[in-house]
Amino acid sequence: MGSTKPLWTREQVAAQIVAGKTLVIYNKLLLSIPQAWLDAHPGGSLAILHFVGRDATDEIDAYHSDIALQRLLKYYVVGTVETTEHGWEPFVPPTMIGWTRKAGRDGKLEWFREANTAHSTVPSEVLLVGTGDSTLAQTRGPTMSDLILPPTELSLKVQSQHSAAYKRLHKRIIDAGLYQTRYATGYGPEIARYTLLAIVSAVAYTHNWLITSAVCLGLLWHQLVFTVHDLGHMGVTHNWTVDRLIAIILADFIGGLSVGWWVDNHNVHHLVTNHPSHDPDIEHLPFLAISTAFFNSLWSSYHKRIMTFNRFTAFIVSLQHKLFYVLLGFGRFNLYALAYGFLFRKAFDHKRAKGGRWSWWLEIIGLLFFWTWFGAVLIGCGSWSKALTYLLVSHVVTTPLHVQIVLSHFSMSTEDLGPMESFPHRQLRTTTDVICPPALAFLHGGLHLQVTHHLFPRLPRHNLLQASVFVKEFAKEQGLTYAEFGFVGGNKQVLDVLKGVADQARIMSMVTESEIRGAMEKKGQ
């Protein structure tokens, strides 16, 4: 297929990217992604934009089924590319240096500078800060020199070796049949657990045992999230429509959350894990900061806003290690805000694909259904104080879920090593497993094996343990670290990171206070 297509030089690829084309490399083939598909991509546009000018073979293989790959190659291949002995030398994607494309006054897409690059102590690291100047919209776009990689200590040869070994690992996992879902032995016990929790919650409620009912309902939500996670990754039936339909029933109708938001957010997290400017899962100002990089009021390419670090933020962050579990206790309320904000924005998005339209409407119906039945549950408690207690208990019970999520990443590296870094190298560097006895694995939903999940996101989670044996062998062979902590040790690691950043925030606050006091004294003289 590729032999009949023209050969593109690096200069030609760069020139077309600067001209506004969305070009991605896959197995030495050049893919040109049209704007229509960029807008309608089920994984969100940023999942593609972060790989413009880069070899995304490993990421594409990890996230797409064979059917999706066939469609991709059928419609979007425009040629092949010149490569070095060690593969394609990547460019820096425009979105990673603050450039995006928006409709101008005439309705045509034009380059818009949404953020500027910030200086870092790590040469390869590119962080973003807000421009605060909308006049840059039509002045110019990125230049070819902007796409050149900054200095990096990484070797293209070594990273390509990691990539080649990852491909062999992926084939090994496929050959072992680990993409086959274990419906009876995997989801059978899960469904029994969900049913038991729902029945106990309902029975307890009818007997006015409200705390027991609230605890069981919270545990049900906690457990359902794991299956919604699988469905969002197409890891259950492996059919997008079927998995999305089931996910909406579980997430929206029963849990009151949006699976559409979660997929959009979570895919970006997987692809740019622990990047301060791009990973929404570590962007929690003004409440939490896991890196002093956030002291620079960074721009979030996902949330499209400046994460302002001011005196108030510095004060809160200086206490974050003490408030950590309290904040996570209210984590579900934050999920409501993020999910509903996403659906509200999508209401005005007329570029959604056909599947996106029906799923959006079904999610809205699901959320109305949720607040109808859950509202009736709260009203039926008999008094506002009992209703408030039921609300808080059912939501705080889900706290271990939020702890689990942060344990896998908060203690790991947040440095950006640049587009040269291979997919497996980044995932092993930024992700850790949580060690737990097999009998307690259900409490983590099987997702304590985060390293393997990040390398193979579509893999059914009941097969992660077996796959992790292969991954550990791969890591040892490639000289990469496979990080894993016990639950208690993992919590300590996270708290140490939070305290380290909190101490720096406290020092910054003291310096700021001193400077203000000195300025006021000088003014009063």
Side-chain angles (χ1 to χ4, degrees), residues 352-483:
R352 296 193 307 274
K354 183 177 180 181
R357 286 196 292 270
W358 74 255
S359 63
W360 183 87
W361 276 110
L362 189 58
E363 288 205 73
I364 297 301
I365 294 170
L367 295 180
L368 293 174
F369 178 84
F370 169 80
W371 285 110
T372 297
W373 75 257
F374 188 58
V377 167
L378 295 179
I379 293 172
C381 289
S383 69
W384 70 266
S385 59
K386 290 182 179 179
L388 180 60
T389 300
Y390 194 100
L391 174 71
L392 292 177
V393 170
S394 62
H395 283 60
V396 171
V397 163
T398 64
T399 300
L401 170 65
H402 307 295
V403 175
Q404 142 116 33
I405 292 170
V406 303
L407 284 187
S408 301
H409 301 289
F410 272 27
S411 63
M412 301 302 287
S413 172
T414 59
E415 288 185 0
D416 170 31
L417 300 187
M420 181 78 77
E421 187 174 25
S422 67
F423 175 62
H425 189 278
R426 182 175 192 94
Q427 299 310 322
L428 284 160
R429 181 174 62 84
T430 59
T431 310
T432 180
D433 280 359
V434 178
I435 303 170
C436 79
L440 299 179
F442 75 94
L443 294 175
H444 296 275
L447 295 177
H448 55 294
L449 300 165
Q450 275 289 296
V451 175
T452 301
H453 168 63
H454 263 249
L455 288 171
F456 304 101
R458 291 184 298 111
L459 205 65
R461 63 181 160 93
H462 302 104
N463 297 334
L464 289 175
L465 181 60
Q466 185 177 347
S468 69
V469 176
F470 299 159
V471 174
K472 288 179 179 179
E473 293 174 0
F474 158 82
K476 184 177 181 180
E477 170 198 321
Q478 293 299 307
L480 300 172
T481 301
Y482 188 111

Side-chain angles (χ1 to χ4, degrees), residues 6 13 34 49 82 115 138 200 219 264 267 299 308 318 404 409 416 433 452 501:
V13 172
L49 293 176
E82 289 183 344
Q138 288 86 31
V200 173
L219 291 175
D264 188 86
N267 280 337
W299 171 264
T308 305
S318 70
Q404 142 116 33
H409 301 289
D416 170 31
D433 280 359
T452 301
V501 177

Side-chain angles (χ1 to χ4, degrees), residues 70-335:
Q70 291 171 11
R71 188 182 305 119
L72 185 74
L73 299 179
K74 179 179 180 180
Y75 293 111
Y76 302 138
V77 175
V78 294
T80 58
V81 293
E82 289 183 344
T83 60
T84 69
E85 178 186 356
H86 304 298
W88 174 261
E89 184 178 348
F91 289 117
V92 178
T95 193
M96 285 192 150
I97 51 176
W99 289 100
T100 188
R101 288 177 65 75
K102 295 182 180 179
R105 293 185 180 89
D106 59 359
K108 295 181 180 180
L109 289 176
E110 298 180 9
W111 284 112
F112 182 89
R113 191 69 189 260
E114 65 179 8
N116 287 320
T117 54
H119 295 290
S120 172
T121 56
V122 181
S124 61
E125 186 167 58
V126 178
L127 300 175
L128 300 179
V129 293
T131 64
D133 185 1
S134 61
T135 61
L136 295 175
Q138 288 86 31
T139 53
R140 67 174 182 89
T143 64
M144 292 178 67
S145 62
D146 292 330
L147 306 184
I148 302 301
L149 282 179
T152 177
E153 296 181 357
L154 296 179
S155 160
L156 181 60
K157 177 181 178 181
V158 173
Q159 295 304 308
S160 64
Q161 289 173 350
H162 293 330
S163 179
Y166 171 78
K167 291 177 176 63
R168 294 193 296 271
L169 172 64
H170 199 171
K171 185 179 186 305
R172 186 181 180 190
I173 283 177
I174 293 172
D175 292 344
L178 297 183
Y179 273 100
Q180 297 174 13
T181 303
R182 292 159 50 189
Y183 293 108
T185 59
Y187 284 105
E190 302 272 350
I191 293 173
R193 192 178 305 122
Y194 303 157
T195 303
L196 178 62
L197 288 170
I199 291 174
V200 173
S201 180
V203 170
Y205 186 82
T206 60
H207 286 78
N208 206 34
W209 303 333
L210 298 182
I211 299 298
T212 301
S213 176
V215 168
C216 288
L217 179 59
L219 291 175
L220 175 62
W221 287 338
H222 171 273
Q223 289 290 300
L224 284 177
V225 163
F226 298 128
T227 297
V228 173
H229 174 275
D230 301 345
L231 293 160
H233 278 298
M234 288 177 55
V236 181
T237 71
H238 310 294
N239 178 287
W240 185 90
T241 302
V242 176
D243 278 1
R244 181 55 60 92
L245 182 59
I246 299 172
I248 291 174
I249 293 171
L250 298 181
D252 298 74
F253 283 75
I254 299 177
L257 296 174
S258 163
V259 69
W261 158 76
W262 179 84
V263 169
D264 188 86
N265 177 100
H266 195 66
N267 280 337
V268 175
H269 156 69
H270 264 267
L271 294 168
V272 286
T273 311
N274 271 21
H275 193 301
S277 286
H278 303 299
D279 181 0
D281 275 13
I282 66 168
E283 297 175 344
H284 299 296
L285 287 184
F287 301 109
L288 294 171
I290 64 171
S291 167
T292 55
F294 288 104
F295 294 179
N296 297 315
S297 292
L298 299 180
W299 171 264
S300 168
S301 64
Y302 180 84
H303 295 295
K304 302 299 180 185
R305 64 175 176 83
I306 297 173
M307 297 177 285
T308 305
F309 191 87
N310 52 28
R311 292 176 64 187
F312 170 75
T313 306
F315 172 72
I316 297 297
V317 169
S318 70
L319 301 172
Q320 64 180 2
H321 55 299
K322 299 178 180 179
L323 299 175
F324 179 59
Y325 295 108
V326 176
L327 292 171
L328 293 187
F330 291 90
R332 194 171 184 88
F333 294 102
N334 181 54
L335 298 184

Side-chain angles (χ1 to χ4, degrees), residues 49-64:
L49 293 176
H50 280 302
F51 291 89
V52 170
R54 299 172 60 184
D55 186 332
T57 303
D58 293 339
E59 289 84 354
I60 290 174
D61 284 341
Y63 279 85
H64 297 82

